[in-house]
PDB file of all heavy atoms in Angstrom:
ATOM      1  N   ASP B 109      -3.569 -20.652  -6.571  1.00 93.00           N
ATOM      2  CA  ASP B 109      -2.646 -21.762  -6.325  1.00 93.00           C
ATOM      3  C   ASP B 109      -1.335 -21.580  -7.088  1.00 93.00           C
ATOM      4  O   ASP B 109      -0.245 -21.811  -6.538  1.00 93.00           O
ATOM      5  CB  ASP B 109      -3.289 -23.091  -6.754  1.00 93.00           C
ATOM      6  CG  ASP B 109      -4.343 -23.561  -5.763  1.00 93.00           C
ATOM      7  OD1 ASP B 109      -4.349 -23.041  -4.631  1.00 93.00           O
ATOM      8  OD2 ASP B 109      -5.156 -24.435  -6.120  1.00 93.00           O
ATOM      9  N   ARG B 110      -1.451 -21.167  -8.324  1.00 94.00           N
ATOM     10  CA  ARG B 110      -0.253 -20.942  -9.129  1.00 94.00           C
ATOM     11  C   ARG B 110       0.655 -19.899  -8.501  1.00 94.00           C
ATOM     12  O   ARG B 110       1.865 -20.082  -8.395  1.00 94.00           O
ATOM     13  CB  ARG B 110      -0.654 -20.453 -10.532  1.00 94.00           C
ATOM     14  CG  ARG B 110      -0.897 -21.556 -11.550  1.00 94.00           C
ATOM     15  CD  ARG B 110      -1.217 -20.932 -12.904  1.00 94.00           C
ATOM     16  NE  ARG B 110      -1.169 -21.907 -13.978  1.00 94.00           N
ATOM     17  CZ  ARG B 110      -0.053 -22.378 -14.525  1.00 94.00           C
ATOM     18  NH1 ARG B 110       1.129 -21.943 -14.108  1.00 94.00           N
ATOM     19  NH2 ARG B 110      -0.096 -23.275 -15.496  1.00 94.00           N
ATOM     20  N   ILE B 111       0.053 -18.789  -8.106  1.00 93.00           N
ATOM     21  CA  ILE B 111       0.837 -17.695  -7.526  1.00 93.00           C
ATOM     22  C   ILE B 111       1.482 -18.145  -6.218  1.00 93.00           C
ATOM     23  O   ILE B 111       2.675 -17.911  -5.978  1.00 93.00           O
ATOM     24  CB  ILE B 111      -0.052 -16.455  -7.295  1.00 93.00           C
ATOM     25  CG1 ILE B 111      -0.506 -15.889  -8.639  1.00 93.00           C
ATOM     26  CG2 ILE B 111       0.698 -15.401  -6.490  1.00 93.00           C
ATOM     27  CD1 ILE B 111      -1.607 -14.850  -8.533  1.00 93.00           C
ATOM     28  N   MET B 112       0.709 -18.812  -5.360  1.00 90.00           N
ATOM     29  CA  MET B 112       1.258 -19.242  -4.075  1.00 90.00           C
ATOM     30  C   MET B 112       2.401 -20.240  -4.251  1.00 90.00           C
ATOM     31  O   MET B 112       3.411 -20.169  -3.542  1.00 90.00           O
ATOM     32  CB  MET B 112       0.169 -19.857  -3.192  1.00 90.00           C
ATOM     33  CG  MET B 112      -0.807 -18.841  -2.612  1.00 90.00           C
ATOM     34  SD  MET B 112      -0.032 -17.402  -1.849  1.00 90.00           S
ATOM     35  CE  MET B 112       0.821 -18.169  -0.472  1.00 90.00           C
ATOM     36  N   SER B 113       2.246 -21.166  -5.191  1.00 89.00           N
ATOM     37  CA  SER B 113       3.307 -22.164  -5.334  1.00 89.00           C
ATOM     38  C   SER B 113       4.564 -21.514  -5.929  1.00 89.00           C
ATOM     39  O   SER B 113       5.685 -21.886  -5.590  1.00 89.00           O
ATOM     40  CB  SER B 113       2.832 -23.351  -6.173  1.00 89.00           C
ATOM     41  OG  SER B 113       2.828 -23.024  -7.537  1.00 89.00           O
ATOM     42  N   ARG B 114       4.373 -20.513  -6.757  1.00 92.00           N
ATOM     43  CA  ARG B 114       5.508 -19.766  -7.278  1.00 92.00           C
ATOM     44  C   ARG B 114       6.250 -19.049  -6.152  1.00 92.00           C
ATOM     45  O   ARG B 114       7.478 -19.079  -6.063  1.00 92.00           O
ATOM     46  CB  ARG B 114       5.019 -18.761  -8.324  1.00 92.00           C
ATOM     47  CG  ARG B 114       5.999 -17.672  -8.690  1.00 92.00           C
ATOM     48  CD  ARG B 114       7.208 -18.221  -9.410  1.00 92.00           C
ATOM     49  NE  ARG B 114       8.098 -17.169  -9.873  1.00 92.00           N
ATOM     50  CZ  ARG B 114       9.426 -17.235  -9.799  1.00 92.00           C
ATOM     51  NH1 ARG B 114      10.012 -18.305  -9.270  1.00 92.00           N
ATOM     52  NH2 ARG B 114      10.165 -16.260 -10.238  1.00 92.00           N
ATOM     53  N   ILE B 115       5.471 -18.415  -5.270  1.00 88.00           N
ATOM     54  CA  ILE B 115       6.083 -17.712  -4.143  1.00 88.00           C
ATOM     55  C   ILE B 115       6.826 -18.703  -3.241  1.00 88.00           C
ATOM     56  O   ILE B 115       7.950 -18.445  -2.803  1.00 88.00           O
ATOM     57  CB  ILE B 115       5.023 -16.937  -3.336  1.00 88.00           C
ATOM     58  CG1 ILE B 115       4.519 -15.755  -4.160  1.00 88.00           C
ATOM     59  CG2 ILE B 115       5.577 -16.463  -1.995  1.00 88.00           C
ATOM     60  CD1 ILE B 115       3.366 -15.008  -3.538  1.00 88.00           C
ATOM     61  N   ASP B 116       6.192 -19.841  -2.992  1.00 85.00           N
ATOM     62  CA  ASP B 116       6.806 -20.830  -2.113  1.00 85.00           C
ATOM     63  C   ASP B 116       8.135 -21.341  -2.668  1.00 85.00           C
ATOM     64  O   ASP B 116       9.100 -21.510  -1.926  1.00 85.00           O
ATOM     65  CB  ASP B 116       5.859 -22.020  -1.902  1.00 85.00           C
ATOM     66  CG  ASP B 116       4.694 -21.651  -0.998  1.00 85.00           C
ATOM     67  OD1 ASP B 116       4.805 -20.644  -0.269  1.00 85.00           O
ATOM     68  OD2 ASP B 116       3.671 -22.360  -1.023  1.00 85.00           O
ATOM     69  N   THR B 117       8.187 -21.579  -3.961  1.00 86.00           N
ATOM     70  CA  THR B 117       9.404 -22.163  -4.530  1.00 86.00           C
ATOM     71  C   THR B 117      10.520 -21.137  -4.673  1.00 86.00           C
ATOM     72  O   THR B 117      11.687 -21.494  -4.728  1.00 86.00           O
ATOM     73  CB  THR B 117       9.131 -22.782  -5.910  1.00 86.00           C
ATOM     74  OG1 THR B 117       8.600 -21.777  -6.769  1.00 86.00           O
ATOM     75  CG2 THR B 117       8.152 -23.934  -5.812  1.00 86.00           C
ATOM     76  N   SER B 118      10.149 -19.830  -4.718  1.00 81.00           N
ATOM     77  CA  SER B 118      11.186 -18.822  -4.932  1.00 81.00           C
ATOM     78  C   SER B 118      11.724 -18.256  -3.632  1.00 81.00           C
ATOM     79  O   SER B 118      12.637 -17.441  -3.640  1.00 81.00           O
ATOM     80  CB  SER B 118      10.649 -17.686  -5.793  1.00 81.00           C
ATOM     81  OG  SER B 118       9.701 -16.939  -5.068  1.00 81.00           O
ATOM     82  N   GLU B 119      11.121 -18.702  -2.528  1.00 62.00           N
ATOM     83  CA  GLU B 119      11.493 -18.108  -1.251  1.00 62.00           C
ATOM     84  C   GLU B 119      12.821 -18.660  -0.752  1.00 62.00           C
ATOM     85  O   GLU B 119      13.049 -19.856  -0.752  1.00 62.00           O
ATOM     86  CB  GLU B 119      10.416 -18.375  -0.205  1.00 62.00           C
ATOM     87  CG  GLU B 119      10.214 -17.205   0.709  1.00 62.00           C
ATOM     88  CD  GLU B 119       8.744 -17.045   1.062  1.00 62.00           C
ATOM     89  OE1 GLU B 119       8.053 -18.087   1.180  1.00 62.00           O
ATOM     90  OE2 GLU B 119       8.279 -15.930   1.202  1.00 62.00           O
ATOM     91  N   ILE B 120      13.652 -17.757  -0.304  1.00 52.00           N
ATOM     92  CA  ILE B 120      14.937 -18.145   0.272  1.00 52.00           C
ATOM     93  C   ILE B 120      14.868 -17.947   1.767  1.00 52.00           C
ATOM     94  O   ILE B 120      14.961 -16.837   2.267  1.00 52.00           O
ATOM     95  CB  ILE B 120      16.098 -17.303  -0.309  1.00 52.00           C
ATOM     96  CG1 ILE B 120      16.166 -17.488  -1.808  1.00 52.00           C
ATOM     97  CG2 ILE B 120      17.415 -17.701   0.345  1.00 52.00           C
ATOM     98  CD1 ILE B 120      16.377 -16.212  -2.555  1.00 52.00           C
TER      99      ILE B 120
END
Side-chain angles (χ1 to χ4, degrees):
Chain B
D109 285 344
R110 271 183 167 283
I111 293 168
M112 287 312 295
S113 77
R114 164 67 175 139
I115 290 174
D116 287 341
T117 58
S118 70
E119 218 143 34
I120 300 136

